[in-house]
Amino acid sequence: MTTTTPAVSPMDLDEKLALYRTQLALRFFEQRAYDMFLENLVKGTSHLSLGQEAIAAGVAAAMKPTDWTFATYRGHAHTLARGVPMTPVLAELLGRSNGLMAGKGGSMHLTSVEHGVMGSYAIIGAHLPIACGAAWSAQFRGTDQVAVCFFGDGSTNIGAFHEALNFAAIWKLPVVFVCENNLWMEYTRTTEVTAVENPAADRASAYGLESIMVDGNDADAVYEVAAAAIARARAGEGPSMIEAKTYRHGGHSRADPGKYRPDSEVAEWLAKDPIPRYHTRLLELGATEDQLVEIERDVVREVDLATEEAKAGGVPGEDLLMKDVWADGGSSWRN
Amino acid sequence: MAQLTFREAIARGIAQEMRRDESVVFLGEDIGAAGGVFKGTVGLLEEFGGVRVRDTPISEQAILGAAMGAAMTGLKPIAEIMFADFFAVCWDIVVNEIAKSRYMTNGQMTFPLVIRSGNGGGLRFGAQHSQSVENWAMMVPGLKVVVPSTPEDVIGLMAASIRDPDPVIFLEAKALYSTKTDVPDGEIVDTLGTAKVLRSGSNATLVALGAMVPKALKAAEELAGQGIDCTVVDVRSLVPLDTQTLLREISATGRLFTVEENPRLCGWGGELSSIVSEEIFYDLDGPIVRITTPHIPLPAADALEDMAIPSVERIVTTVSKSMNS
């Protein structure tokens, strides 16, 4: 594993306060989404990033608006972190017509092309090669765009992961892979079914990618490695792999209480919760408690407003059902 | 006008579009320096260079994933899957990602891409390099499916597929690669979703696709000698399907015979039969008959493969028997 970190200008306090706000927004949004599940307002399934917010927030802070995010079915946080407003995201979870995709995608497929969120993909590993394709397009067209592709530790044992890493390396693509290693695949500990200790980083170095390990519960650390990797990609120096160690506070999905995990392990990671950690750091850096309380209140207001607006959304109409299979807007397969 | 083989027509069609549109790029295994394992892409690397014509590793998911990511961000990729059987190792990217993403995102994304592939049997390659997979592709919402049967159609339909804003599965019958016909000079652009009437008759309508088209034409000649006058329609495009032409031509004779290379179950002829039964049942003068490869993996031995894939003889016998019963 190597780390050649180009100089990344450190964040000032205002930028760090913004990073704190993003983390809180992701946390409070998903807590609200979970509450709405319990009220049976959110249908289907959902995969929360509670506990992993520092990764989505830290990487997004290092991206330009024109860069691309490729997320997984655990994609609420990544979508919001790119600046997509809460209301359409929550409305999408509720299956309302004011949803991000008018209810046609749902929790696992959040997409907002205008914000550079190029899809949330629910087949493990599939989006790694797709992110390579976007990166290839940027390289071909000579733009300075970078594709950032998030995935979990469980994705590292599927073929598409390996095909994509090799592909990115041989074409020297401007892509940054970010493995959110939360230690548990779905219900099985990743190390129990994986031949190496660091499932993404160890493999990536074998493919010649710049390979970086980072504390995924430290938003500043995540930001710094992401900024460096993105800068390298933008400069034409090729792909990187960031493996960010983290932990999900809840189960794999809505239906999973996560009871397979030892209590002591859960407690250990709850103590490393990225948000209280960042709160403490900001106070040490000179932020005031009042400032932080005001940020918290502001986020609560945003979540409350999004909740009202999402609930007020209409039910998608039949007109949407047969729309947009094809680029002409329709779904006709015959004349 | 020049004589052109089916395989040469592929390169000509791609080159025509790459000259016209800088955003058309081409990737696949052995397509560049080697000119394609079937020599269908000879000369493209030399003309367009290694940035637009790129050899890839044997990584079908990466090839199609890259095509998808490039298409959603402004390029018009053509990707090759060497043998259509290999779609099975990257089918997720085709059906779950490419085909569904426009709908799932409420139209936020567009995928102007073409996946071309060598399809079907007749080359004694055995079961894993010979299957006709047009029925796999046809059943997936969000994919267009095009199957040319002549060099001229290869060029025209390739151009139409590349210009189309939706994902197109372009299946090239391997058994036709060496066929040669006259092809007009200059630009050729066809229209997707148009079947072609190749022969008009009054007794029966043979509807065929890909490598079955020349066989159906040959069979029609022999049947004419027996006094059975057949219409032959080349479907050319399974999605969109030109049901107007097909229903008109089937109504006109009152009899439908499909000639399909795909294995029997859920072959495209089954869908066509269903449409015919629902919409022009009372125009029929006799049962619909499907002439297909049996529901088996294709054997390698020439003798066995020839028994499996519909032959001119089998078409003639089947039509003749049914028309005279």
Side-chain angles (χ1 to χ4, degrees):
Chain A
M1 228 168 300
T2 56
T3 309
T4 52
T5 310
V8 173
S9 52
M11 287 185 155
D12 63 25
L13 185 58
D14 281 348
E15 288 168 323
K16 290 188 186 223
L17 287 168
L19 188 51
Y20 178 65
R21 191 190 188 288
T22 305
Q23 293 179 81
L24 271 186
L26 307 184
R27 172 71 52 96
F28 290 174
F29 176 92
E30 287 209 306
Q31 285 176 337
R32 178 60 52 85
Y34 185 70
D35 291 344
M36 292 171 83
F37 273 133
L38 299 179
E39 295 172 56
N40 203 29
L41 285 166
V42 174
K43 309 285 166 54
T45 188
S46 164
H47 306 76
L48 303 177
S49 300
L50 295 171
Q52 305 182 193
E53 295 90 345
I55 300 170
V59 177
M63 295 171 75
K64 280 191 185 177
T66 47
D67 291 336
W68 294 307
T69 294
F70 289 82
T72 68
Y73 53 89
R74 198 181 303 283
H76 307 162
H78 296 296
T79 304
L80 295 168
R82 292 303 307 281
V84 179
M86 286 183 182
T87 298
V89 177
L90 194 55
E92 186 66 28
L93 270 55
L94 266 61
R96 300 299 167 95
S97 59
N98 57 337
L100 195 57
M101 295 95 77
K104 292 173 81 171
S107 164
M108 294 200 281
H109 300 296
L110 297 175
T111 303
S112 181
V113 171
E114 64 166 308
H115 295 90
V117 180
M118 304 305 278
S120 303
Y121 298 79
I123 306 293
I124 293 290
H127 62 311
L128 278 83
I130 299 166
C132 287
W136 172 39
S137 163
Q139 184 188 61
F140 179 86
R141 290 179 294 115
T143 71
D144 71 347
Q145 289 163 289
V146 174
V148 179
C149 183
F150 298 91
F151 53 92
D153 41 277
S155 299
T156 63
N157 289 320
I158 204 161
F161 170 90
H162 297 269
E163 291 193 17
L165 263 56
N166 181 57
F167 209 78
I170 55 168
W171 288 11
K172 218 173 175 187
L173 296 174
V175 58
V176 176
F177 298 108
V178 182
C179 176
E180 299 182 69
N181 181 358
N182 63 23
L183 312 187
W184 291 82
M185 213 165 57
E186 286 188 47
Y187 307 151
T188 302
R189 193 184 289 282
T190 302
T191 49
E192 284 176 17
V193 293
T194 306
V196 294
E197 190 188 345
N198 305 300
D202 292 352
R203 270 75 170 267
S205 24
Y207 289 109
L209 268 69
E210 190 78 33
S211 194
I212 304 133
M213 300 280 297
V214 69
D215 177 354
N217 282 17
D218 180 340
D220 286 337
V222 170
Y223 167 78
E224 280 167 27
V225 296
I230 290 168
R232 271 195 304 276
R234 216 185 293 291
E237 290 166 29
S240 302
M241 172 69 72
I242 296 170
E243 180 171 333
K245 282 256 169 38
T246 187
Y247 205 73
R248 54 172 149 80
H249 288 177
H252 167 72
S253 65
R254 174 196 184 191
D256 168 28
K259 291 295 181 200
Y260 40 83
R261 306 182 303 185
D263 291 344
S264 59
E265 181 181 289
V266 176
E268 178 199 332
W269 279 93
L270 283 174
K272 291 193 273 193
D273 187 331
I275 292 177
R277 266 174 88 182
Y278 209 73
H279 185 279
T280 305
R281 183 175 303 162
L282 287 171
L283 293 176
E284 286 164 6
L285 289 170
T288 65
E289 191 63 51
D290 282 353
Q291 271 179 305
L292 302 186
V293 167
E294 185 44 47
I295 289 172
E296 191 170 323
R297 283 190 184 134
D298 187 47
V299 171
V300 170
R301 277 192 293 269
E302 189 185 353
V303 173
D304 285 344
L305 179 63
T307 307
E308 278 172 40
E309 289 178 343
K311 279 181 171 173
V315 174
E318 204 177 345
D319 56 315
L320 284 172
L321 183 67
M322 303 301 285
K323 268 186 64 182
D324 276 317
V325 171
W326 308 122
D328 68 6
S331 58
S332 177
W333 52 270
R334 59 174 285 189
N335 59 12
Chain B
M1 191 75 80
Q3 284 261 308
L4 210 62
T5 61
F6 196 94
R7 71 178 85 241
E8 289 164 339
I10 293 159
R12 182 168 144 191
I14 293 172
Q16 173 186 301
E17 295 308 300
M18 290 188 79
R19 281 178 208 128
R20 176 181 173 268
D21 185 345
E22 285 286 324
S23 65
V24 177
V25 291
F26 180 29
L27 77 166
E29 298 159 16
D30 298 325
I31 58 152
V37 293
F38 299 111
K39 297 294 171 201
T41 58
V42 173
L44 295 174
L45 175 68
E46 290 73 13
E47 179 173 354
F48 300 103
V51 174
R52 292 181 71 192
V53 178
R54 297 198 77 161
D55 280 319
T56 68
I58 301 175
S59 301
E60 278 81 7
Q61 293 184 80
I63 294 168
L64 296 191
M68 177 180 176
M72 70 165 73
T73 53
L75 298 188
K76 291 178 188 157
I78 306 164
E80 176 177 314
I81 296 299
M82 191 184 286
F83 286 79
D85 312 70
F86 305 169
F87 270 119
V89 299
C90 52
W91 205 226
D92 168 56
I93 305 284
V94 179
V95 307
N96 281 316
E97 316 302 341
I98 292 171
K100 292 176 182 170
S101 288
R102 181 175 176 80
Y103 185 85
M104 290 197 301
T105 63
N106 198 28
Q108 290 184 57
M109 288 180 168
T110 303
F111 301 99
L113 62 88
V114 176
I115 306 172
R116 44 171 296 268
S117 190
N119 189 48
L123 275 67
R124 298 32 174 134
F125 285 166
Q128 295 182 345
H129 290 69
S130 301
Q131 186 158 347
S132 274
V133 306
E134 56 270 22
N135 52 340
W136 293 2
M138 188 188 189
M139 66 176 69
V140 179
L143 299 179
K144 293 181 177 174
V145 186
V146 175
V147 190
S149 73
T150 67
E152 186 175 346
D153 280 2
V154 165
I155 300 169
L157 291 174
M158 177 78 76
S161 299
I162 292 168
R163 295 182 194 191
D164 194 271
D166 293 310
V168 177
I169 306 294
F170 191 91
L171 298 173
E172 300 158 6
K174 298 197 292 289
L176 297 180
Y177 275 134
S178 57
T179 56
K180 191 179 232 186
T181 59
D182 282 333
V183 175
D185 298 325
E187 184 180 87
I188 302 175
V189 186
D190 211 320
T191 308
L192 300 189
T194 54
K196 212 184 238 182
V197 181
L198 301 178
R199 177 189 172 107
S200 280
S202 53
N203 301 132
T205 301
L206 312 186
V207 177
L209 183 82
M212 299 300 100
V213 172
K215 292 186 180 184
L217 280 170
K218 189 92 192 306
E221 276 174 38
E222 292 188 23
L223 286 161
Q226 299 179 19
I228 300 170
D229 189 17
C230 293
T231 290
V232 177
V233 183
D234 181 353
V235 185
R236 304 203 312 154
S237 169
L238 291 174
V239 182
L241 187 65
D242 183 4
T243 49
Q244 285 183 12
T245 299
L246 291 164
L247 294 177
R248 184 187 72 223
E249 295 300 322
I250 296 159
S251 284
T253 66
R255 291 300 304 268
L256 167 61
F257 295 85
T258 65
V259 190
E260 309 166 46
E261 190 176 337
N262 49 217
R264 172 101 190 172
L265 300 189
C266 301
W268 57 266
E271 185 60 46
L272 180 60
S273 303
S274 146
I275 295 167
V276 166
S277 303
E278 285 180 35
E279 300 181 25
I280 55 165
F281 182 76
Y282 295 105
D283 293 345
L284 294 178
D285 298 325
I288 296 167
V289 177
R290 292 179 59 206
I291 302 163
T292 76
T293 296
H295 208 63
I296 55 171
L298 273 185
D302 48 1
L304 291 171
E305 191 181 36
D306 288 344
M307 284 180 233
I309 299 172
S311 62
V312 173
E313 188 191 357
R314 175 141 67 100
I315 299 166
V316 170
T317 311
T318 307
V319 173
S320 168
K321 200 171 152 195
S322 180
M323 294 298 289
N324 291 319
S325 64

